[in-house]
Amino acid sequence: MRDQFHEDLDTISDQLVELTRLAGSAISRATTALLDADVHLAESVIEADRKLDDIRIELDELSIDLLARQQPVATDLRIVVTAMHMSSDLERMGDLARHVAKVARLRTPDSAVPPELRSHILQMGQVAEAIVAKCGSIIASKDVAAAIALEKDDDAMDDLHRELFAALLDENTSWSRSSILDLTLVGRYYERFADHAVSVARRVVYLVTGEYDADVSYDHEDAEDADVIATLERGATPSL
């Protein structure tokens, strides 16, 4: 019975790593679709998000089944419960990649990204890809040092996000309000993508050590985006 339990725990870990792989592929392809105005690629990202949702559901169902059948305690209980939280973060990362793809689809046949900002958005996409790849390795290895170091990658994303926002507020730019709106939201999507990866890494630290640093709540993300849209439509300056 215990051998099966530990096999199931290994399955949960494998599913979490697979979610990081799918989220990384999604953000990579969404970035390309955004920069190249590739509507077919954008559609494929949007469609593929169902796979992440399905794996998250399977993982949560297995976790709940383990809780009911095995009634784990101590470290085993922490593994199961933490895995459910991590799957939620990873599924949300897939959603954020889908949001980027939706912006790409919305503006085709034109690109949503002005030529002056192409390299900047590309860099944000590359940082996002790197951080989710490291996240997968951290889940597989349970490497606490690597989990803590991941916050440096998040700092790089935060810097890029601030620089993008500063560029959007530059009064000398001639971009349309729709372009500014698109890029404001896209910047938030990339920044949050990295934040969720950090949340996963922190949960790995908790899983190994039993100690957990401050968490970040993302329960109001969609409402915040709606506020940004409404602010921009009024011609005011949003607060990020």
Side-chain angles (χ1 to χ4, degrees):
M1 181 70 75
R2 297 303 294 176
D3 287 343
Q4 182 60 51
F5 175 66
H6 287 290
E7 286 181 13
D8 289 338
L9 290 182
D10 289 341
T11 297
I12 288 174
S13 180
D14 291 343
Q15 287 179 319
L16 289 170
V17 172
E18 176 66 3
L19 283 173
T20 66
R21 187 191 68 78
L22 292 172
S25 173
I27 199 66
S28 173
R29 291 183 295 120
T31 301
T32 300
L34 185 69
L35 294 173
D36 296 348
D38 188 331
V39 67
H40 298 295
L41 186 58
E43 290 283 4
S44 74
V45 174
I46 294 166
E47 179 65 24
D49 186 58
R50 294 181 183 179
K51 181 69 178 297
L52 278 91
D53 296 341
D54 289 344
I55 293 177
R56 189 265 173 98
I57 291 170
E58 290 173 6
L59 190 153
D60 286 354
E61 288 177 345
L62 176 57
S63 298
I64 291 170
D65 183 60
L66 287 178
L67 290 174
R69 286 190 297 104
Q70 300 288 345
Q71 298 182 349
V73 297
T75 301
D76 288 342
L77 176 61
R78 193 159 69 231
I79 291 171
V80 176
V81 174
T82 300
M84 295 176 70
H85 286 296
M86 287 194 287
S87 72
S88 177
D89 278 310
L90 292 165
E91 187 267 339
R92 185 57 181 163
M93 290 166 74
D95 289 343
L96 291 164
R98 186 187 71 220
H99 291 340
V100 173
K102 284 185 174 181
V103 173
R105 183 180 64 178
L106 177 66
R107 299 304 174 192
T108 54
D110 298 321
S111 172
V113 183
E116 304 93 323
L117 292 176
R118 286 182 61 84
S119 63
H120 194 90
I121 295 300
L122 176 61
Q123 192 173 356
M124 294 185 83
Q126 290 171 339
V127 171
E129 287 180 59
I131 202 170
V132 71
K134 291 180 181 180
C135 191
S137 297
I138 289 166
I139 293 170
S141 65
K142 309 296 187 294
D143 188 332
V144 171
I148 294 171
L150 194 71
E151 302 219 13
K152 292 183 179 179
D153 295 88
D154 184 51
D155 290 342
M157 182 66 86
D158 289 340
D159 289 343
L160 288 167
H161 185 222
R162 282 190 290 268
E163 291 167 9
L164 175 63
F165 189 43
L168 296 175
L169 291 179
D170 189 340
E171 295 180 355
N172 296 320
T173 61
S174 58
W175 303 319
S176 66
R177 183 173 297 176
S178 62
S179 291
I180 293 173
L181 172 59
D182 288 344
L183 291 167
T184 298
L185 292 177
V186 164
R188 288 166 72 87
Y189 297 151
Y190 282 115
E191 190 264 341
R192 285 176 180 163
F193 187 95
D195 283 346
H196 281 286
V198 169
S199 178
V200 170
R202 288 176 177 172
R203 295 187 193 282
V204 171
V205 174
Y206 168 69
L207 192 156
V208 175
T209 67
E211 298 179 0
Y212 190 58
D213 204 349
D215 195 6
V216 180
S217 174
Y218 304 96
D219 292 342
H220 305 293
E221 285 183 351
D222 292 336
E224 290 173 0
D225 287 344
D227 289 341
V228 170
I229 293 170
T231 301
L232 285 168
E233 288 177 342
R234 291 195 302 270
T237 300
S239 175
L240 295 186

